[in-house]
Amino acid sequence: MKRHVYVPFKFLKNGDIPQEAISLAKDTGLSIRLGQEGDSDESDIHVMQVPERNGIDFRKTIKSNFVQPIDYTNEFVIFPSDLKCEVTRNATFGQAEKFILKPVLLESHIVKYRARFAETGIYDFIISTDRHGILSEGKFEVL
């Protein structure tokens, strides 16, 4: 997340930035973001976090029994404890196999999964929560 020192519009007098904001920016090493007239956040001068990233990283193909990393970052959502990664192996004949991966790391905006897949084939996965539904999905092949 990007962080800025936010100065609400009501604190801007004749276009000058208040000394309090300049001091806070100097102490924290952050840039200053000026509010616009009519902004809903008309509180005090403070450090503001702005979410930016929402993406997933995984390998499109892996060799059998090699580790598949699935790393998902979403700064727009705080991950709840019910976050899950459901993987489905598309079987050529018969029923598709489904299983849930357990995260090796779960933070408020980052989750990392690691799994080995012995069976070759195409695998689909969905990262979801009960509250937010599907957050991300993908497909990879085990060779």
Side-chain angles (χ1 to χ4, degrees):
M1 280 196 209
K2 287 273 187 178
R3 293 176 1 130
H4 306 279
V5 173
Y6 179 73
V7 181
F9 183 78
K10 69 180 180 182
F11 288 97
L12 300 174
K13 305 292 186 216
N14 299 323
D16 292 336
I17 299 172
Q19 187 58 42
E20 177 187 349
I22 294 170
S23 297
L24 183 57
K26 188 176 182 180
D27 291 345
T28 59
L30 300 174
S31 63
I32 296 175
R33 176 175 271 181
L34 303 177
Q36 302 293 319
E37 189 171 11
D39 281 352
S40 61
D41 187 7
E42 289 293 325
S43 61
D44 290 333
I45 296 169
H46 63 279
V47 174
M48 176 174 78
Q49 294 186 353
V50 180
E52 290 185 321
R53 296 180 51 201
N54 179 11
I56 191 157
D57 186 32
F58 64 96
R59 295 185 184 127
K60 301 288 186 199
T61 60
I62 59 167
K63 292 181 181 180
S64 177
N65 286 315
F66 277 59
V67 173
Q68 168 66 292
I70 300 173
D71 299 339
Y72 179 52
T73 301
N74 187 339
E75 295 177 344
F76 296 88
V77 175
I78 295 175
F79 294 149
S81 60
D82 72 340
L83 184 73
K84 64 183 174 188
C85 181
E86 184 176 330
V87 179
T88 304
R89 179 175 171 267
N90 299 322
T92 307
F93 302 104
Q95 289 287 92
E97 299 174 45
K98 290 186 178 187
F99 48 94
I100 304 292
L101 297 181
K102 300 249 188 236
V104 295
L105 174 74
L106 176 59
E107 295 181 352
S108 58
H109 300 288
I110 298 171
V111 64
K112 295 184 179 203
Y113 299 96
R114 300 292 183 269
R116 292 182 191 271
F117 299 93
E119 300 291 325
T120 60
I122 305 291
Y123 290 78
D124 296 307
F125 67 89
I126 295 173
I127 298 175
S128 65
T129 70
D130 293 336
R131 179 177 175 207
H132 300 290
I134 296 174
L135 296 172
S136 188
E137 55 191 323
K139 180 181 289 206
F140 60 91
E141 183 176 11
V142 176
L143 305 172

